Amino acid sequence: MSDEHGRQVVVGYDGSPAASAAIEVGALLFPGAHAWIGHLWTPPFASEELRKRLWTGTRNINVFVEAIEREGSREADRMTAVGVMLGRAAGWDAEPLVCRSYGGEGLRLAELADEKQADVLLLGSRGLGGARAVLGSVSDMAVHYSPRPVLVVPHPLLTDEYDALAAGPVVVGWDASAGSEAALAAARRLFPEREIVLAAVDGDEGDAPETVDGVTTVRVRAGGGAPGRAVADALSAVATERKASLVVVGSRGRTAVRKILLGSVAMATLHRAHRPVMVVPQSPVRETE
C-alpha cells in the first residue's frame, strides 16, 4: 500500500516498547507513508552489555575501542533493521537511517527530519506524565528545536484511544494566533480526509466564530490551576469526548527563548494528554532570531 498523499515520516527508534508503539501508531495515522527509521548511536560506547563483553583491560585500550566501534555499528544496524521490519509489517515503505550522534539526540533527530524534508518527526514518549514531566527528554528537545511538526505518541494507549487512531477526528487548539493557524494548516495537510475540530478554550462569544474557514469550532472552559495546564486539560477533554485520533497544537514565539521554553500550552499538552500530540512550529528557529 502506498500513501496517495505522499507523506514522509522520520521515526526515532531505539528498540524500546515506546518506540515500537510509535511505529504502530504512526502507521495508522499515516497509512502507506514513506518512513525513515532513524537510530542514533554514540561511538565508541554502544550498549553496556557490549562494553562488558569486549572489555580487555587498560593495556589493550586501542583494541577495545576498535572492537566497540565494529560491534556497536553492527548492533545499531541490527536494531534499525528491526524497526524497518516493524514499519513494513505495518504497511509503511520503510528504510533504515542509522546515524552517529555525540549527544543531543532530540536535536539530532530534529536535524535529520529537516534534512530529509519529512512532513513530521515521530517519537515515542518516555515518562512524560505527572512528576516525571521534565525538560530534557529526547521528545521534549526534539519539539523545542524542530522546524518541522513533531508527533509524540504516549505509551501505553488505552483501548478506546487506540481504536480512535484509524479514523478519529483531529482536535486542533485554536486561539486565532499565528501558531494556531499553523497548527490548522498542518492538520489539514497531513490529515486531509479526517474531520478537524477546533477547540477554543475559554473563548467568549465574540472571540471564536462558529466556524473558521469552514471548520467547526468548539468552545470549552478551562478549569483551575496553572493556565497552561488548565488549557491542556481542556483540550484533552475535548479529544476524549470527540474520540479524537490526536491533538494538534502550535508553538509560540520565534526567538531563541523558544529553544529554552516552548509555549506553556504546547508543553503542557505534550505532557498531560493521553493521546498522540503533534506540536507544529510557527516558523523555523534560527540562531539569529
Side-chain angles (χ1 to χ4, degrees):
M1 179 177 62
S2 62
D3 184 357
E4 61 182 86
H5 305 294
R7 293 169 294 191
Q8 301 186 95
V9 181
V10 168
V11 184
Y13 184 75
D14 60 3
S16 66
S20 298
I23 291 177
E24 182 182 13
V25 169
L28 290 171
L29 294 174
F30 308 105
H34 181 85
W36 288 276
I37 308 300
H39 177 69
L40 305 178
W41 75 288
T42 308
F45 302 108
S47 68
E48 182 179 358
E49 291 78 10
L50 272 180
R51 295 199 304 272
K52 288 180 178 179
R53 286 204 61 190
L54 295 172
W55 176 244
T56 56
T58 55
R59 292 184 179 181
N60 299 305
I61 189 66
N62 290 333
V63 174
F64 172 68
V65 171
E66 291 174 1
I68 284 288
E69 176 81 15
R70 179 185 67 250
E71 299 299 332
S73 178
R74 177 181 176 276
E75 181 185 44
D77 288 339
R78 179 196 61 78
M79 183 176 296
T80 309
V82 172
V84 169
M85 179 179 64
L86 292 174
R88 290 176 178 172
W92 270 348
D93 174 22
E95 64 175 287
L97 181 62
V98 181
C99 295
R100 294 168 179 249
S101 175
Y102 295 91
E105 289 87 351
L107 172 59
R108 185 67 184 113
L109 286 169
E111 290 174 341
L112 288 175
D114 200 36
E115 290 170 10
K116 294 297 183 181
Q117 299 184 25
D119 294 296
V120 64
L121 171 60
L122 176 64
L123 300 169
S125 67
R126 285 185 172 184
L128 288 181
R132 295 177 295 175
V134 295
L135 296 178
S137 72
V138 171
S139 52
D140 272 10
M141 289 298 100
V143 166
H144 276 75
Y145 283 95
S146 178
R148 297 180 180 271
V150 178
L151 177 60
V152 180
V153 177
H155 177 71
L157 293 175
L158 301 182
T159 300
D160 60 336
E161 296 159 352
Y162 181 86
D163 289 344
L165 296 171
V170 178
V171 169
V172 178
W174 180 259
D175 62 1
S177 67
S180 64
E181 290 176 353
L184 174 58
R188 281 176 157 164
R189 177 171 54 86
L190 293 175
F191 307 99
E193 298 176 350
R194 296 187 186 236
E195 176 191 3
I196 294 177
V197 177
L198 299 184
V201 180
D202 277 341
D204 293 329
E205 187 68 25
D207 295 333
E210 292 292 339
T211 62
V212 176
D213 199 13
V215 180
T216 300
T217 301
V218 174
R219 299 182 185 86
V220 59
R221 293 291 178 183
R229 292 186 177 184
V231 173
D233 289 342
L235 291 176
S236 184
V238 172
T240 299
E241 179 184 352
R242 295 281 177 148
K243 298 182 179 179
S245 55
L246 73 156
V247 178
V248 181
V249 292
S251 64
R252 288 187 172 185
R254 301 181 60 202
T255 67
V257 174
R258 178 175 172 270
K259 297 182 179 180
I260 302 173
L261 182 62
L262 206 66
S264 60
V265 171
M267 291 308 295
T269 306
L270 181 69
H271 290 165
R272 298 174 70 83
H274 297 294
R275 293 172 192 264
V277 174
M278 186 169 74
V279 180
V280 179
Q282 181 176 334
S283 62
V285 177
R286 296 181 175 87
E287 292 291 338
T288 56
E289 292 184 334

